[in-house]
Amino acid sequence: MSAPQGDADRAALEHALGTLPASTEAIRAIEDARQVPTYAKLPIALVRGRGSYVWDADGKRYLDLYGGHAVALTGHCHPRVVEAIRAQAGRLLFFSNVVYNDVRAAAVEALAELAPAGLRSAFLCNSGAEANETALKLARKHTGRMRVVSMQEGFHGRTLGALGATGIRGYRDPAYPIPTAHTYVPYGDIEALGAALGDDVAAVILEPIPSMGGIQVAEPEYFQALRRLCDEHGTLLLFDEVQTGFGRTGTMWFGEHVDVRPDLITGAKGIASGFPAGVCFVREDLAAQVQPGEQGTTFGGGPLASAAIAATARCLLDEGLPANAARVGAVLAEALAPHPAVTAVRGRGLLFGFDLDRPAKPVVRALVDEGVLCGGAGGNPHQIRLLPPLTLTEDEAREWLPALDRALEAAAR
Ligand SMILES: Cc1ncc(COP(=O)(O)O)c(C=O)c1O
């Protein structure tokens, strides 16, 4: 695939902003000097994207199996999403939820079409952490209880409330003490969950497939028992589908795989194909009890975000992207499972992990040099995580396998 037609856009940007730094070196120097150094960045500067590919400032092309951090759900710069954002940008950049708006109406209508029956009421916000904060706050208010049970392997965001639910200690510890009542249990362990639950628990929150903590998938019986236990205790069940949602695992929502419907679902990442947005889907009878003023956000459901959400939803439905994720995920599994350096393949659809017989980090780094972007998993140092666009083709899923072999060799040197 040739580089996308980005020159006219770059010229327009320079007209508006002044000259942009042009080389990787120049871009890195400025960001390193001027950003608070919270991120360990790859040494590349990406400036364009189209479909499954991105290009750096020096014109090198990369196959993006990391999906811009699980965000480029419809592929980079899907023309329909770009058109919606461009058109809305020229019409009305912003007005808050204090007024109604036609594009917001289109977005919530589209989300209702995607959402599971019974959860077709959405609170629009700006990020995954905010969606989880909203869900946990609502669960506490509705149940009148304080404690939350979550998974040791779970990641739910960086704000204090979401961090409180995050089981992975590496993320949580720097913020101690966290002012929330949390109990952490191992993912997939129904006995531990049963022991942790009590009539003081407002909610159980979990990623149905932990991702940052290392991809693994519990058995359907686990989820069914989880639902039953929550019902027995009057505890709300919250699926954090920030990564698993919107078709990534091969179904629109994870619960379809295991025949379980949670009370709350949070989403973000690819919901707007890269425009910042999040959502908290709320069981409709709970939503009916929420009062004006109970929750709010200035930017949630703004016109630009709404245009991007509605366009993304249309792409997911019209292009059958969840089914493509299932199909291409199976191709990846078939290609990688027999590889001599691979000890396990994990996940569902295009939330895909494979474990190596060696540490993954040097291999992930060598893959960058090979023009392939993928991720590691904090909770499993041997795992490579793939979170590509749901538009990934079967050919694209296979084309990088020789690069993996070269990367394995380079990392071993
Ligand atoms: C499962 C999960 N939940 C929540 C979040 C937080 O989302 P955000 O970074 O948009 O706040 C993330 C981010 O990686 C995530 O993977």
Side-chain angles (χ1 to χ4, degrees):
M1 183 183 279
S2 60
Q5 298 291 309
D7 289 349
D9 287 335
R10 186 190 161 91
L13 278 169
E14 291 201 325
H15 184 69
L17 309 178
T19 307
L20 292 170
S23 68
T24 299
E25 204 183 338
I27 297 166
R28 284 182 66 187
I30 297 172
E31 287 196 20
D32 286 345
R34 297 297 181 202
Q35 265 193 309
V36 177
T38 50
Y39 302 103
K41 300 186 190 198
L42 295 173
I44 58 174
L46 299 178
V47 297
R48 293 175 177 183
R50 180 57 55 100
S52 303
Y53 298 94
V54 284
W55 283 260
D56 71 15
D58 305 318
K60 179 174 170 180
R61 190 184 83 162
Y62 300 80
L63 176 66
D64 185 13
L65 297 177
Y66 197 47
H69 218 125
V71 166
L73 212 60
T74 55
H76 289 279
C77 294
H78 192 294
R80 193 165 182 176
V81 179
V82 171
E83 186 186 8
I85 295 172
R86 277 196 207 274
Q88 185 56 41
R91 199 169 165 241
L92 179 65
L93 276 183
F94 189 71
F95 213 103
S96 75
N97 286 278
V98 77
V99 300
Y100 293 91
N101 173 260
D102 55 354
V103 180
R104 186 186 305 119
V108 290
E109 188 92 308
L111 288 174
E113 212 176 314
L114 302 187
L119 275 92
R120 296 193 169 129
S121 191
F123 176 81
L124 295 175
C125 54
N126 305 285
S127 68
E130 192 186 3
N132 285 328
E133 297 271 348
T134 301
L136 292 172
K137 186 173 160 189
L138 195 142
R140 280 183 163 188
K141 165 99 189 320
H142 177 79
T143 59
R145 303 170 178 181
M146 279 293 112
R147 199 155 63 87
V148 170
V149 173
S150 56
M151 305 295 136
Q152 285 167 3
E153 301 82 352
F155 180 84
H156 302 292
R158 310 279 189 148
T159 54
L160 282 179
L163 211 48
T166 291
I168 307 173
R169 296 200 62 134
Y171 293 108
R172 212 173 66 229
D173 282 356
Y176 258 100
I178 288 176
T180 50
H182 276 272
T183 305
Y184 308 99
V185 296
Y187 170 82
D189 183 339
I190 203 66
E191 272 178 37
L193 184 75
L197 275 176
D199 292 348
D200 61 333
V201 176
V204 173
I205 176 172
L206 74 161
E207 296 169 81
I209 302 178
S211 183
M212 303 270 266
I215 292 175
Q216 52 172 317
V217 192
E219 295 299 321
E221 296 74 37
Y222 171 72
F223 293 96
Q224 287 146 15
L226 172 62
R227 178 70 272 181
R228 203 170 48 248
L229 280 172
C230 284
D231 288 342
E232 281 167 19
H233 288 282
T235 294
L236 296 176
L237 178 56
L238 193 179
F239 278 1
D240 174 343
E241 297 234 36
V242 165
Q243 292 215 17
T244 54
F246 295 100
R248 177 163 294 286
T249 69
T251 53
M252 199 60 80
W253 308 105
F254 180 84
E256 293 166 49
H257 291 296
V258 294
D259 200 21
V260 165
R261 194 185 68 175
D263 304 298
L264 298 148
I265 295 177
T266 52
K269 295 280 191 200
I271 177 177
S273 295
F275 200 91
V279 65
C280 176
F281 290 109
V282 181
R283 217 179 67 206
E284 286 154 32
D285 61 304
L286 297 182
Q289 297 171 37
V290 173
Q291 301 298 316
E294 235 176 68
Q295 182 62 319
T297 158
T298 298
F299 288 115
L304 281 179
S306 291
I309 290 170
T312 300
R314 290 265 67 86
C315 294
L316 287 172
L317 292 168
D318 295 352
E319 297 176 24
L321 296 185
N324 190 62
R327 202 164 38 242
V328 179
V331 169
L332 282 171
E334 201 182 286
L336 285 163
H339 193 288
V342 173
T343 58
V345 295
R346 302 179 192 276
R348 287 272 189 147
L350 290 177
L351 182 53
F352 188 93
F354 61 101
D355 298 357
L356 295 174
D357 59 1
R358 63 199 80 183
K361 208 171 175 179
V363 183
V364 170
R365 186 62 194 78
L367 276 166
V368 177
D369 295 336
E370 290 290 337
V372 179
L373 304 180
C374 48
N380 179 351
H382 286 249
Q383 187 172 92
I384 294 187
R385 273 187 314 151
L386 308 182
L387 318 150
L390 307 194
T391 50
L392 193 77
T393 66
E394 295 187 13
D395 286 347
E396 289 166 348
R398 290 194 190 95
E399 76 176 39
W400 63 289
L401 295 169
L404 174 63
D405 286 331
R406 290 193 297 273
L408 285 162
E409 251 174 56
R413 280 202 290 272

